[in-house]
Amino acid sequence: MDDVDGWFSLFPEGYTSNTCATCVIAVLFFILPNDFEQFRLKQKKPRKYQSILKWNFAIRRVPWGVVLLVGGYFSLGKALKETKTLVGLESIMTDAFQGVDDWIIVLAITCIVAVLTEFVGNIPVILVFIPVCTTIATVKATHPHLYVMPMVLASQMSLMLPIATAPNLVFQAYGNTSTIDMVKGGWMVNVISLIWVNILVNTYGYVIYNFDSVPAWASPGTTMMPTVANVTQP
């Protein structure tokens, strides 16, 4: 079946993106009526036009802090990619893990990522560490998923600080919860999750995903993975 281009084909290549469609839909909320009955010709009493969303309501109720936080995640990830910060990090971690057992590497990566995601957010951490993990796997001639899968799982352990992820910020803002209370309730969950991730990856992971062997697509000189920025960036 041929691909359906849609209205994006009306513009030059690269001129539009998914962000444009999102903005159009957001604007339509302020234009479209919330009840089409007000357009009936025969009405006992004329009704005032009302849109689905009003600007005053959006100003008061939309969590703009969350919007800015998520936008900051994407901006930080883009900045790390464009400034080639990853090149130095890949070299440092590759040299540090030379001659180290795989289970120790997995433990170190998951602990580092679990800590960083509390202060930076999971999106920038994933953008930084996926190429780092694949580089380490190439140098050590191991399955890339052995490092990438636990790293991605560890990046979701953002359970303590409000800045770690947007749901945390919403929970603190509307739940009247202090940062100290979130840390007290989240640190133990983080520790237990890290332990389980490392146990499962080093046991069931080898059985289910064949971490013992290196797949053909991960051999040196081949393209290992698609660009993560194309998936996560808007």
Side-chain angles (χ1 to χ4, degrees), residues 101-175:
D101 293 338
D102 289 335
W103 71 271
I104 298 179
I105 297 177
V106 172
L107 177 62
I109 290 175
T110 52
C111 290
I112 293 172
V113 169
V115 173
L116 286 179
T117 192
E118 295 289 352
F119 299 95
V120 183
N122 52 10
I123 294 174
V125 170
I126 291 174
L127 289 173
V128 169
F129 273 88
I130 279 188
V132 171
C133 291
T134 53
T135 301
I136 296 173
T138 302
V139 173
K140 293 184 64 67
T142 57
H143 201 305
H145 290 176
L146 176 60
Y147 306 140
V148 173
M149 290 181 63
M151 183 276 297
V152 173
L153 291 174
S155 70
Q156 308 306 311
M157 299 176 190
S158 47
L159 305 172
M160 293 192 297
L161 299 180
I163 197 175
T165 184
N168 287 13
L169 191 62
V170 174
F171 176 76
Q172 187 191 44
Y174 293 97

Side-chain angles (χ1 to χ4, degrees), residues 48-220:
K48 183 179 178 181
Y49 180 85
Q50 293 183 349
S51 60
I52 298 175
L53 186 63
K54 294 183 178 180
W55 180 248
N56 291 335
F57 180 85
I59 290 296
R60 295 194 313 267
R61 303 299 296 272
V62 172
W64 295 106
V66 177
V67 176
L68 295 175
L69 179 65
V70 175
Y73 288 162
F74 288 117
S75 300
L76 180 59
K78 184 70 172 179
L80 292 173
K81 179 184 176 183
E82 296 296 332
T83 56
K84 301 186 183 301
T85 307
L86 308 180
V87 177
L89 184 61
E90 290 176 7
S91 177
I92 293 172
M93 296 193 69
T94 301
D95 294 338
F97 290 141
Q98 286 287 347
V100 180
D101 293 338
D102 289 335
W103 71 271
I104 298 179
I105 297 177
V106 172
L107 177 62
I109 290 175
T110 52
C111 290
I112 293 172
V113 169
V115 173
L116 286 179
T117 192
E118 295 289 352
F119 299 95
V120 183
N122 52 10
I123 294 174
V125 170
I126 291 174
L127 289 173
V128 169
F129 273 88
I130 279 188
V132 171
C133 291
T134 53
T135 301
I136 296 173
T138 302
V139 173
K140 293 184 64 67
T142 57
H143 201 305
H145 290 176
L146 176 60
Y147 306 140
V148 173
M149 290 181 63
M151 183 276 297
V152 173
L153 291 174
S155 70
Q156 308 306 311
M157 299 176 190
S158 47
L159 305 172
M160 293 192 297
L161 299 180
I163 197 175
T165 184
N168 287 13
L169 191 62
V170 174
F171 176 76
Q172 187 191 44
Y174 293 97
N176 296 323
T177 305
S178 66
T179 302
I180 297 299
D181 290 336
M182 294 182 66
V183 173
K184 290 179 180 179
W187 75 269
M188 181 60 70
V189 179
N190 275 8
V191 172
I192 295 174
S193 301
L194 279 174
I195 294 173
W196 271 110
V197 165
N198 280 271
I199 291 175
L200 295 176
V201 166
N202 289 286
T203 53
Y204 289 111
Y206 282 88
V207 177
I208 298 174
Y209 298 106
N210 297 320
F211 289 153
D212 297 293
S213 59
V214 181
W217 54 266
S219 301

Side-chain angles (χ1 to χ4, degrees), residues 10-85:
L10 301 176
F11 299 91
E13 184 177 356
Y15 191 79
T16 57
S17 65
N18 292 337
T19 307
C20 299
T22 304
C23 291
V24 169
I25 294 173
V27 172
L28 287 177
F29 278 117
F30 295 96
I31 299 175
L32 297 177
N34 63 353
D35 185 6
F36 284 93
E37 290 292 327
Q38 57 190 303
F39 292 100
R40 294 179 61 181
L41 297 177
K42 296 181 180 180
Q43 297 188 37
K44 295 181 179 180
K45 186 177 181 181
R47 301 175 60 180
K48 183 179 178 181
Y49 180 85
Q50 293 183 349
S51 60
I52 298 175
L53 186 63
K54 294 183 178 180
W55 180 248
N56 291 335
F57 180 85
I59 290 296
R60 295 194 313 267
R61 303 299 296 272
V62 172
W64 295 106
V66 177
V67 176
L68 295 175
L69 179 65
V70 175
Y73 288 162
F74 288 117
S75 300
L76 180 59
K78 184 70 172 179
L80 292 173
K81 179 184 176 183
E82 296 296 332
T83 56
K84 301 186 183 301
T85 307

